[in-house]
Amino acid sequence: MKIHKEGRRILFVTLLVLLALNLLVFNLNKGADLVNRLFAGATVIVFLLILQFFRSPFRHLFTHEDLLLAPADGKVVVIENVFEPEYFEDERKQISIFMSPINVHVTRNPISGLVKYFKYHPGNYLVAWHPKSSTQNERTTVVVESDAGPLVLFRQIAGAMARRIVWYVNEGDEVSQGEEFGFIKFGSRVDVFVPIDTEIKVELGQKVKGGETVICQLKVK
């Protein structure tokens, strides 16, 4: 287990602020040992909660050109055929994974290939399960031409708590399955759009691990 680079500055600043608050409370409440201990305990809990947001556990990664791996830890909340308007402008199969505040927030490439399209969209911060969050929230869209051939679109979506999306890919990049392509601070959701004839390997409500759980298999012609 290690702390992700996106959290190091936040954790350092948080630690300084909490230490300063503890010193202030202790000075204002000299002799009130119970109050001071309760406040110190509360700040430790706050720091640990923020710390777990930025954990980055080791994953046993494997690669296979026609299998898609989960891009994030979380729960499968959508499996359905939808119209994808941004890039494909046709019907695709959508798989959505909801990342709660207690999940790992690293996002990983579900497939190896060439990045054909990338775009960042500023937006709102609706709750991640809101039907319009995919098109109205802050988000990034990545389209990869997989080594197997089919194009795969995946999208980071910020939620009500998440206010910062980080990405490490750009158009023209070669990406490897399972490697990090970004981070959503304090969680949210990742959508994956694949061809209609793709075979789904997960079920609604299933918990998945980013970079490890196979979510679907592409149809290779």
Side-chain angles (χ1 to χ4, degrees):
M1 182 73 69
K2 64 178 182 178
I3 301 302
H4 197 275
K5 62 183 179 180
E6 298 297 342
R8 292 168 190 166
R9 182 177 178 182
I10 292 174
L11 289 167
F12 179 70
V13 171
T14 301
L15 182 61
L16 292 180
V17 170
L18 293 177
L19 286 173
L21 287 174
N22 272 280
L23 288 173
L24 178 62
V25 169
F26 274 53
N27 285 327
L28 292 176
N29 295 289
K30 290 180 179 178
D33 291 342
L34 178 60
V35 172
N36 291 339
R37 285 198 297 269
L38 288 174
F39 185 82
T43 57
V44 168
I45 292 172
V46 169
F47 184 77
L48 291 176
L49 286 173
I50 297 174
L51 179 67
Q52 66 89 30
F53 288 149
F54 295 102
R55 69 194 190 279
S56 182
F58 174 78
R59 291 289 159 85
H60 298 281
L61 305 178
F62 74 95
T63 59
H64 199 292
E65 66 176 16
D66 65 341
L67 296 178
L68 264 72
L69 301 181
D73 287 24
K75 183 170 71 171
V76 178
V77 294
V78 173
I79 300 176
E80 63 183 7
N81 294 348
V82 299
F83 180 81
E84 199 293 303
E86 180 177 351
Y87 183 84
F88 295 115
E89 297 183 339
D90 64 11
E91 192 174 34
R92 296 277 148 165
K93 195 175 294 290
Q94 176 182 337
I95 307 164
S96 297
I97 297 169
F98 174 70
M99 306 160 65
S100 78
I102 63 172
N103 285 128
V104 173
H105 300 148
V106 176
T107 50
R108 300 177 181 274
N109 297 307
I111 198 81
S112 297
L114 177 68
V115 178
K116 303 290 288 184
Y117 174 85
F118 173 85
K119 189 169 184 179
Y120 167 74
H121 302 268
N124 300 320
Y125 298 97
L126 302 171
V127 291
W129 54 84
H130 193 288
K132 294 184 178 180
S133 64
S134 292
T135 56
Q136 294 188 8
N137 278 17
E138 180 192 11
R139 62 199 182 279
T140 63
T141 301
V142 183
V143 178
V144 170
E145 183 179 23
S146 68
D147 289 345
L151 294 172
V152 176
L153 184 154
F154 42 100
R155 182 176 288 138
Q156 297 169 296
I157 302 170
M161 289 184 64
R163 299 292 170 127
R164 181 80 171 95
I165 290 177
V166 181
W167 62 90
Y168 312 131
V169 298
N170 293 289
E171 285 185 24
D173 288 351
E174 289 279 354
V175 296
S176 296
Q177 189 175 50
E179 291 186 353
E180 294 182 19
F181 80 85
F183 195 94
I184 308 178
K185 295 183 179 180
F186 303 108
S188 191
R189 179 173 133 187
V190 180
D191 290 348
V192 179
F193 295 83
V194 292
I196 289 294
D197 60 359
T198 300
E199 182 182 355
I200 304 300
K201 300 289 190 179
V202 289
E203 299 178 347
L204 281 175
Q206 181 176 335
K207 293 182 180 179
V208 297
K209 282 190 174 183
E212 288 190 355
T213 306
V214 174
I215 60 172
C216 58
Q217 183 169 16
L218 298 171
K219 186 79 71 175
V220 181
K221 299 179 181 179

